[in-house]
Amino acid sequence: MTKERIYLFDTTLRDGQQTPGVDFSVEDKIAIAAMLDDFGIDYVEGGYPGANPTDTAFFESRRTTSARFVAFGMTKRAGVSASNDPGLAALIEASGDAVCLVAKSWDYHVRVALGCTNAENLESISASVKAVVAAGKEAMVDCEHFFDGYKANPEYALACARTAYDAGARWVVLCDTNGGTQPPEIRDIVAAVIAAGIPGANLGIHAHNDTGQAVANSLAAVEAGVRQIQGTLNGIGERCGNANLVAIIPTLVLKEAYNTRFEVSIDREALQGLTQLSHRFDELLNRSPDHQMPYVGASAFATKAGIHASALLKDPRTYEHVPPESVGNLRKVMVSDQGGKANFINALKLRGIVVSKDDPKLDRLIEIVKEREATGYAYEGADASFALLAYRTLGSIPSFFHVDSFRVMIERRYDANGNLKTVSEAVVKVVVDGETMMSVAEGHGPVNALDLALRKDLGKYQAEIADLELADYKVRILNGGTEAITRVLIESTDATGARWWTVGVSDNIIDASFQALMDSIVYKLLKNRGEAGRVAAE
Amino acid sequence: MTKERIYLFDTTLRDGQQTPGVDFSVEDKIAIAAMLDDFGIDYVEGGYPGANPTDTAFFESRRTTSARFVAFGMTKRAGVSASNDPGLAALIEASGDAVCLVAKSWDYHVRVALGCTNAENLESISASVKAVVAAGKEAMVDCEHFFDGYKANPEYALACARTAYDAGARWVVLCDTNGGTQPPEIRDIVAAVIAAGIPGANLGIHAHNDTGQAVANSLAAVEAGVRQIQGTLNGIGERCGNANLVAIIPTLVLKEAYNTRFEVSIDREALQGLTQLSHRFDELLNRSPDHQMPYVGASAFATKAGIHASALLKDPRTYEHVPPESVGNLRKVMVSDQGGKANFINALKLRGIVVSKDDPKLDRLIEIVKEREATGYAYEGADASFALLAYRTLGSIPSFFHVDSFRVMIERRYDANGNLKTVSEAVVKVVVDGETMMSVAEGHGPVNALDLALRKDLGKYQAEIADLELADYKVRILNGGTEAITRVLIESTDATGARWWTVGVSDNIIDASFQALMDSIVYKLLKNRGEAGRVAAE
């Protein structure tokens, strides 16, 4: 049986731009278009040329090589001819292979927002589509508010879709603009549209996540017959976001419910680039990735529970719905006091440490982890600190340097000009190979000052940690009050792009931070030594 | 037509505990159970008594008043009688109204994970359910891996469900443990279970979000006939999380696709507490809320400037799938905030401050709050700081005392006996009625030392704050790195049992803590003056 092709349409650069807090530069758009193009998306919608300087500049040239490059904009205004509408002209003249016209399909909106008659709106749709086709470009129409419009006035909603199709639109896209439509309604209404004479092969779905069902609504529409899905990277978009292509694509490729009947432009090999695509996009937006995102999240294939973990080791199929490598993600068995011995052995194996389950040192390690987690440590979130603890307990670690003492001072007072001022200063005394070095630094706060002083002079190791950077710093107060136990988690990164997490716990936040900072530096030094560092640990 | 009741089962405290990075203390669990109970959830699953010290302690007493309190655990082991299985005994003896037994329903798992025969597993299910019922408790069975098990061996999966039902289980819960099942499969398999003789009125659904469809799978199961939904607050849970009750509940209550046929324990009035419930839970986990979360996210009803916004002002229906106030959320139009003003007037009225909407001081207050929240303040969670800000902006506050300067020192060194020691010391210079007082104190950490020094000598006000206590102290880093902006939230209480929250924000954690500590003391002094304090402010 030949499979039916589902076309993937990315609107990250257009609807994704509506995300609160997201504002793409032309350079951002060029980079993202390239990512989507390389990954193998069918259509890349770049924005609204003529609507703002960024999009106009972005459309000065075609920004994709294999993907079809799409300009988005409105149908011509009522009362003017297509050739006399500057907005429509700008769309047609913009670089690109296709034009996606947004058209009202809810009579209420035609009246309130456009202020024209239903007939005038139909004429605008028809004339605009014909103008795009006449210019030799692929035309598609986003039927805005289609599902709400259909509920209010089915005849008119269908007339809008039908008009677009009859005028020569390659795609008629049914949009759930407000995002409140439920999957059963999607199925019924899509079926009605097909019954009205528009082939599913010419229908698309544009879903929003306002009830947390944008992915399901998109797939429900495919079930009902549509063959184009519009969505965004990581589900960004206005309000609660658009349908997340990063969740939809692997489901179409890997799930029997779909891959026996449908195929997409991304094959199983390309799919292995999905996790990287998703993370690179977050990187570009400067957001920390959602650890729980389907398929690509750092936790998507993480197991914590003891029983689950041991079964997982016997056979991954038992607790994984797809193999993590199929989407370029990794299996993660986390250490936690809920975990059994098998957890530890596997967690260690992942770090290249082979230990037999009868080794008394292993029992000692488990004991230490349980003791420490009881006092507030959380090794599941601090793999580097766990690795160091394991190396120290099962083997040994070279003592690179030693911090003899530190002092941090925070002073708030009025300066000479009578302005309130808070100064944070840290002094650290470090011993490397018997040589003592004192460093002092001022920082934005006590932890920042301590971090700067600590990394200011590590003698012969200084050059090695030059590329060490703190990516994130998290504080958790484990019990109420200012006397509380504080847990600090630090995420570090370096020039290789590697990321590692370290933890510190104390009733003193400075002490807790110091522990985590020290672990991060020592882990970096071990890491630089690669296998050597590891061998030294066994 | 009488509506069918859908029962809501919350497993935040059990499956939610599997979330990477989440580890509840007994106090956390008590607080969360109370939230769920007050909100009106039918069942609160508290954890696995006997499996770990926290859950055992949590189950020492019943933690809900109206909601049914549920203990989770495994069916008895094969080869021993129910009465001789200590694990099962612990479940039955634990406080609570119901016991949820997890049972394998995939023959493959029975072999690999349990290592017993299919028949033995059925006997364990039957005997365990009967033991729970015999103890006078409500029994329910989570059929683990039910959907994958059904695909592999439908007869056996059905036999497990059927055995649980025949033995007297009130609920047979079909679990998509690996989270990979698709909505059409959920519909078909649920239909098959009902066809096999288990009434939908006795069936539940437990969905995971591994393909981003946990909400849709739960609702698809309801469509197919199940009447209990298991989920968690904000969708926390193992890997990609469980079904998000915060998205499911409003959909069931507000969407015609469901509310014409079904009803839940939460009515439209209670639903208005949803946003607060979701945010309080994140607050307790010390996570920043997901701005794009359906219904409750800060962006869920936010519209960026443009045609949408202006149409939205003409008629909200045009771009909102439900009214934001129906879930206790707010409309946010980024051009001009129309919705805001009314909310401020109400918030102030709650604090006994009556202000007219034309009062320029009100505009000033709104302006200040917007500015500050843009820099990281969160007055939603700091009502006392908001009250002080309002008093200061709309009226005035007596200047009780003035802190001229402070100094905090943290030193880590080896003491005379060669032990590592970290000392935190704070010096504060306070001026009361022109008289300057210096206080010094040592603390567990810099914030504790500052707190102690600050409250050591407030001259004539000292006696008044004797009963002031810090109940909780929360720190959130608003952006990565140790240079990050830090937000401190402090909860205070006094002899009257009153509780109030204050906030401080700075790139220096000590500064941020100082602001919150100061607000707390000033609020306490105002509070002691009752109306007087308020009158002074108007």
Side-chain angles (χ1 to χ4, degrees), chain A residues 175-197:
Chain A
C175 302
D176 183 29
T177 308
N178 294 3
T181 307
Q182 298 302 302
E185 298 169 326
I186 297 274
R187 286 197 303 273
D188 297 347
I189 295 175
V190 168
V193 174
I194 293 173

Side-chain angles (χ1 to χ4, degrees), chain A residues 134-269:
Chain A
K137 295 195 170 189
E138 179 175 335
M140 51 188 97
V141 174
D142 275 0
C143 293
E144 198 185 25
H145 287 116
F146 186 83
F147 297 93
D148 295 321
Y150 182 93
K151 290 187 209 170
N153 183 342
E155 295 71 23
Y156 189 68
L158 287 173
C160 294
R162 184 76 212 211
T163 300
Y165 178 63
D166 291 344
R170 163 69 184 92
W171 293 105
V172 177
V173 183
L174 311 179
C175 302
D176 183 29
T177 308
N178 294 3
T181 307
Q182 298 302 302
E185 298 169 326
I186 297 274
R187 286 197 303 273
D188 297 347
I189 295 175
V190 168
V193 174
I194 293 173
I198 307 178
N202 297 90
L203 290 175
I205 180 73
H206 176 104
H208 278 272
N209 207 35
D210 296 75
T211 72
Q213 298 182 93
V215 168
N217 278 344
S218 304
L219 295 170
V222 168
E223 285 284 319
V226 315
R227 294 297 175 255
Q228 186 208 84
I229 298 175
Q230 294 196 350
T232 61
L233 285 175
N234 296 349
I236 70 166
E238 190 162 29
R239 304 188 310 273
C240 305
N242 290 65
N244 185 1
L245 289 178
V246 170
I248 290 173
I249 293 168
T251 298
L252 288 171
V253 175
L254 301 173
K255 294 294 177 185
E256 258 192 20
Y258 309 100
N259 66 15
T260 55
R261 291 178 292 151
F262 306 117
E263 61 185 357
V264 293
S265 53
I266 284 102
D267 62 18
R268 282 172 183 267
E269 198 197 330

Side-chain angles (χ1 to χ4, degrees), chain B residues 91-338:
Chain B
L91 288 182
I92 293 174
E93 284 150 24
S95 307
D97 313 293
V99 173
C100 183
L101 299 158
V102 59
K104 305 282 180 198
S105 51
W106 184 354
D107 57 353
Y108 175 82
H109 273 262
V110 173
R111 195 167 67 252
V112 174
L114 293 184
C116 70
T117 70
N118 287 352
E120 285 173 322
N121 182 48
L122 293 179
E123 191 276 330
S124 290
I125 296 173
S126 178
S128 305
V129 169
K130 286 177 177 152
V132 171
V133 173
K137 294 195 171 189
E138 178 175 336
M140 51 188 96
V141 174
D142 275 0
C143 292
E144 197 187 24
H145 288 114
F146 186 82
F147 296 93
D148 295 321
Y150 182 93
K151 289 186 208 171
N153 182 342
E155 296 69 24
Y156 189 66
L158 288 173
C160 295
R162 184 76 211 210
T163 301
Y165 177 65
D166 291 344
R170 164 67 183 93
W171 293 106
V172 177
V173 182
L174 311 179
C175 302
D176 183 28
T177 309
N178 294 3
T181 307
Q182 298 302 302
E185 298 169 326
I186 297 275
R187 286 197 303 272
D188 297 346
I189 296 174
V190 167
V193 174
I194 293 173
I198 307 179
N202 296 90
L203 290 175
I205 180 73
H206 175 104
H208 278 272
N209 206 37
D210 296 75
T211 72
Q213 298 182 91
V215 168
N217 278 345
S218 304
L219 295 170
V222 168
E223 285 283 318
V226 316
R227 295 296 174 253
Q228 186 208 83
I229 298 174
Q230 295 196 349
T232 60
L233 286 175
N234 296 347
I236 70 166
E238 190 161 28
R239 303 187 312 274
C240 305
N242 288 63
N244 185 0
L245 289 179
V246 170
I248 290 173
I249 293 168
T251 298
L252 287 171
V253 175
L254 301 174
K255 293 294 177 186
E256 258 191 21
Y258 309 100
N259 66 15
T260 55
R261 290 178 293 153
F262 306 117
E263 62 186 358
V264 293
S265 53
I266 283 103
D267 62 17
R268 283 170 183 268
E269 197 196 331
L271 190 64
Q272 293 171 15
L274 186 72
T275 298
Q276 200 208 14
L277 172 71
S278 171
H279 291 175
R280 278 178 59 212
F281 178 65
D282 279 328
E283 199 57 57
L284 193 140
L285 286 184
N286 199 27
R287 322 192 302 178
S288 33
D290 172 4
H291 286 226
Q292 296 206 291
M293 188 175 287
Y295 294 103
V296 299
S299 301
F301 298 94
T303 309
K304 269 195 178 180
I307 34 167
H308 282 212
S310 50
L312 188 66
L313 298 185
K314 285 188 197 151
D315 181 351
R317 270 193 317 141
T318 56
Y319 285 96
E320 286 172 356
H321 71 113
V322 298
E325 52 275 19
S326 63
V327 290
N329 204 344
L330 297 173
R331 176 172 308 128
K332 226 177 169 186
V333 179
M334 278 121 179
V335 271
S336 63
D337 193 332
Q338 304 292 323

Side-chain angles (χ1 to χ4, degrees), chain A residues 39-66:
Chain A
F39 187 62
I41 298 290
D42 295 299
Y43 293 92
V44 172
E45 188 175 52
Y48 193 160
N52 61 70
T54 304
D55 287 357
T56 304
F58 182 59
F59 274 90
E60 273 163 14
S61 65
R62 186 167 186 268
R63 306 295 187 175
T64 60
T65 53
S66 42

